[in-house]
Amino acid sequence: MLRLPRLGFKPSPLARIALGLGLAVLTLMLMAQGLVAVAVDHFTADYVKRFMRGTVDVLVNELRPLDHKAREARIRQLDQTFAYPVSLVRMQDLSGARQEQLLRGELVVAGLNRRVYARLDPKGDAVLQLGPLNADWQPGESWQLPRELWLQLLTGLALSVAVMGLAWWLLRPAWRDLRELQAAADQISAGHFDTPLPRPRSRLFAPLAHAIRSTLQRLASALASQRELTGAVSHELRTPLARLRFAIDALIDEDDAARREAQVQACERDIEELEGLIDASLMLARLDTGALSAKPEPGDLTELLMQESDSLRPLLDGKDLSLALKLPDTALPFDAQILPYALRNGLRNAARHARSRICLQAWLDQEQVWLAIDDDGEGVPEALRELVFTPFKRLERHRRSRGFGLGLAIVRHVAESHGGEALMQRAPELGGARLLIRWPQQMPPGR
């Protein structure tokens, strides 16, 4: 099997693109020139026939009476006199189609350089040939393109080279950006998420680089949150698991029925605590990674707040819950599936720290929907108000309270998924803490 030798030089993809564009332009020009040549060939042949008819008739009438030697001598004289070659050829040396035309007494014009053929004798084999009519033709050259065609070819070649250079100049920055982005993507796929993205030199890949950079930032934040959440969950699981193990060990040797029942109830409380921790952790993880996102739709927010507050009253440890809902009758945007998570966690957090009173308020202001959950507890110092939204972060004064420090983190994620935010302030009337949630009254397009 014959194998072609491999070339040592392998052009880059960018060079192949530029070369392909140049060859495409050259091919198109040649095709256009060929189509034009085919279209005008018939007309130029007719023009040459009319233009050369008089000269040919004069020469034929002069050469026809002469014998063979005299004809050759006269042909040599004419060849020296005319600006184009004059010669004699045999009929049998021409193609069949040209012979048929000559036998019909027609004047034949053929070739790119335009050769004119005329039969000298009706019964003889001699044919007069004039041309090539191209002024650049030199003796001894049997085939030569006309000057016009050469100029067209050179113009097409120059234009294709110009297109190649322009394509190389225009595509080189984009190609360099693409290769750098590819190298960065390879590093990222290998697990190096801290790989810096190159700054694009072309506007073509600037939006792509910006989108990738934003995606990496969100991915890095999600991974950091996942690591923090995993570590915090592992830490929080130790206490109920240790209590469960101790209670189970105690049940084995416990004979007293009352104490056995107390240990069983303790195990049930620990199991409920574990279930609550797992549910809250999963909810926070889904909100943090975007697996659970809000899809606000117009609805009756007042009705939702009243239903949720009524369902949560038995879980507020006997604290008094009052409502101050000042919302219009018009529909407001919210996600009826996700917003209740924020309300439940916010009200339960208030119930854990309130002395006796909780107030749920709602109103509209500056094209924003506002929800406030106030309590009459100790409140949160201003320096620590942002920390309460950190997962598993519990302040020193609240460490003995039930909970895992996930409720307010879930509230903030729900608010942000609605395009808003959650803040911790001081309750103006009750004097304790105020959990403030707000989001736009008109959702932006695409949410």
Side-chain angles (χ1 to χ4, degrees):
M1 181 177 178
L2 180 61
R3 293 185 178 180
L4 296 176
R6 294 184 178 179
L7 298 177
F9 172 73
K10 183 179 181 181
S12 66
L14 178 59
R16 291 197 293 268
I17 292 175
L19 180 61
L21 290 175
L23 293 178
V25 171
L26 181 60
T27 302
L28 289 176
M29 287 200 63
L30 292 178
M31 290 177 62
Q33 292 174 3
L35 292 175
V36 172
V38 170
V40 303
D41 181 73
H42 176 71
F43 300 101
T44 55
D46 290 343
Y47 173 78
V48 172
K49 287 180 181 179
R50 292 194 301 269
F51 182 78
M52 297 295 295
R53 171 61 67 180
T55 302
V56 171
D57 290 343
V58 171
L59 294 177
V60 169
N61 292 332
E62 180 183 355
L63 295 173
R64 182 176 294 169
L66 302 178
D67 58 15
H68 181 70
K69 291 183 179 181
R71 281 182 182 178
E72 291 184 350
R74 183 57 180 163
I75 287 294
R76 286 193 295 270
Q77 293 177 358
L78 294 173
D79 185 57
Q80 297 295 326
T81 303
F82 280 72
Y84 46 81
V86 180
S87 60
L88 291 176
V89 297
R90 295 183 302 173
M91 177 80 75
Q92 61 184 9
D93 294 335
L94 302 179
S95 64
R98 294 177 184 176
Q99 292 182 24
E100 292 179 0
Q101 289 180 286
L102 292 173
L103 291 175
R104 292 195 299 265
E106 299 178 7
L107 196 65
V108 177
V109 178
L112 290 173
N113 294 295
R114 297 306 183 192
R115 289 179 171 85
V116 181
Y117 299 95
R119 191 179 182 187
L120 288 180
D121 299 322
K123 298 181 180 180
D125 188 45
V127 175
L128 176 64
Q129 174 182 298
L130 303 180
L133 302 181
N134 183 15
D136 296 332
W137 182 86
Q138 299 295 330
E141 296 181 356
S142 59
W143 186 86
Q144 181 175 351
L145 296 177
R147 176 187 295 177
E148 294 79 5
L149 188 55
W150 277 116
L151 292 177
Q152 292 176 1
L153 291 175
L154 291 177
T155 302
L157 183 60
L159 182 60
S160 64
V161 172
V163 170
M164 290 172 56
L166 182 62
W168 179 278
W169 181 71
L170 292 176
L171 295 177
R172 187 179 181 185
W175 180 255
R176 186 187 299 119
D177 292 341
L178 183 60
R179 293 298 299 271
E180 292 178 352
L181 288 175
Q182 181 182 2
D186 293 338
Q187 292 293 323
I188 294 170
S189 62
H192 305 289
F193 297 105
D194 57 345
T195 301
L197 286 179
R199 184 174 298 276
R201 300 176 179 84
S202 64
R203 296 181 180 179
L204 179 62
F205 292 102
L208 178 61
H210 178 72
I212 295 176
R213 189 176 293 108
S214 301
T215 302
L216 287 177
Q217 291 175 354
R218 290 194 297 269
L219 180 60
S221 177
L223 289 176
S225 300
Q226 185 181 20
R227 288 193 293 267
E228 182 180 358
L229 180 62
T230 302
V233 170
S234 301
H235 175 75
E236 293 291 339
L237 284 174
R238 292 174 183 172
T239 300
L241 286 177
R243 291 200 301 262
L244 272 175
R245 185 180 294 108
F246 177 79
I248 292 172
D249 291 340
L251 281 173
I252 296 175
D253 300 325
E254 184 61 57
D255 296 329
D256 186 80
R259 292 182 179 180
R260 180 182 293 273
E261 180 63 23
Q263 294 293 340
V264 170
Q265 292 179 0
C267 290
E268 290 179 351
R269 288 194 299 270
D270 290 334
I271 292 175
E272 291 178 358
E273 184 177 352
L274 287 174
E275 290 178 348
L277 173 60
I278 293 173
D279 292 341
S281 300
L282 290 176
M283 174 59 64
L284 181 62
R286 294 176 66 189
L287 289 170
D288 194 24
T289 59
L292 184 63
S293 58
K295 298 179 180 178
E297 296 181 355
D300 191 344
L301 182 58
T302 300
E303 181 180 0
L304 176 68
L305 296 178
M306 295 179 63
Q307 291 177 354
E308 289 297 325
S309 60
D310 291 340
S311 64
L312 289 172
R313 288 182 191 276
L315 305 178
L316 300 181
D317 298 329
K319 309 294 174 60
D320 178 60
L321 173 62
S322 61
L323 302 179
L325 307 180
K326 301 177 182 179
L327 297 174
D329 295 334
T330 58
L332 298 174
F334 64 93
D335 191 312
Q337 301 296 326
I338 296 181
L339 186 59
Y341 289 110
L343 294 175
R344 296 165 192 168
N345 284 280
L347 290 173
R348 289 175 179 175
N349 179 78
R352 281 194 295 268
H353 306 300
R355 294 186 177 94
S356 61
R357 298 174 58 192
I358 303 171
C359 181
L360 172 62
Q361 303 181 51
W363 69 93
L364 294 182
D365 186 27
Q366 299 179 353
E367 298 184 352
Q368 299 276 327
V369 181
W370 299 80
L371 298 181
I373 301 176
D374 298 345
D375 63 66
D376 60 350
E378 298 180 4
V380 180
E382 184 175 358
L384 303 177
R385 289 174 183 172
E386 189 63 25
L387 293 178
V388 298
F389 296 102
T390 303
F392 297 100
K393 186 68 175 182
R394 286 177 289 179
L395 305 183
E396 289 295 332
R397 65 181 66 189
H398 299 147
R399 286 190 181 275
R400 294 184 179 181
S401 62
R402 296 175 60 186
F404 308 101
L406 294 177
L408 294 182
I410 292 176
V411 171
R412 168 159 286 185
H413 277 78
V414 171
E416 291 177 349
S417 67
H418 280 73
E421 63 177 345
L423 303 172
M424 182 62 68
Q425 299 178 353
R426 179 174 179 80
E429 297 181 1
L430 300 184
R434 161 172 281 190
L435 175 61
L436 189 63
I437 307 171
R438 67 179 181 90
W439 67 90
Q441 181 180 352
Q442 299 293 334
M443 300 304 297
R447 286 195 64 89

